Amino acid sequence: MAPLSLLFGGPAEVGRLGWQDEALCAQTDPEAFFPEKGGSTREAKRVCTTCDVRSECLEYALENDERFGIWGGLSERERRKLKKRAV
């Protein structure tokens, strides 16, 4: 994987996204985190349960309205429900 500074530009952006360097998903099969419709999310969620940056990941997904994949241990549907409850 390329350094974050090459992917995202300046130091401020790298600092904001620095949690990604610690994410366990970066060390596993990315396809597990973006299953096909109806596919299992079990493996991705299992990885998320032990990830030290799970909350940062979920916060990023919510702030950026990520509509696909498992982020912070939650599926797209689970994140939508969470956002509805927060309103």
Side-chain angles (χ1 to χ4, degrees):
M1 181 174 177
L4 289 175
S5 59
L6 293 177
L7 295 173
F8 298 107
E13 192 66 13
V14 172
R16 190 174 79 80
L17 298 175
W19 60 267
Q20 291 180 343
D21 288 337
E22 305 299 320
L24 291 179
C25 60
Q27 303 166 29
T28 60
D29 180 11
E31 289 186 25
F33 294 86
F34 296 92
E36 293 185 24
K37 187 170 183 159
S40 176
T41 61
R42 184 176 294 136
E43 179 61 24
K45 288 181 175 186
R46 186 186 62 75
V47 170
C48 292
T49 61
T50 59
C51 185
D52 291 338
V53 295
R54 181 178 178 179
S55 60
E56 290 91 336
C57 179
L58 179 58
E59 182 178 331
Y60 173 85
L62 294 171
E63 287 177 359
N64 292 283
D65 199 27
E66 287 290 344
R67 298 191 182 206
F68 301 101
I70 305 300
W71 291 82
L74 299 181
S75 68
E76 307 95 288
R77 180 177 292 145
E78 292 166 330
R79 290 192 305 275
R80 280 194 307 268
K81 287 181 183 178
L82 183 64
K83 282 181 109 171
K84 283 182 181 181
R85 283 193 303 234
V87 174

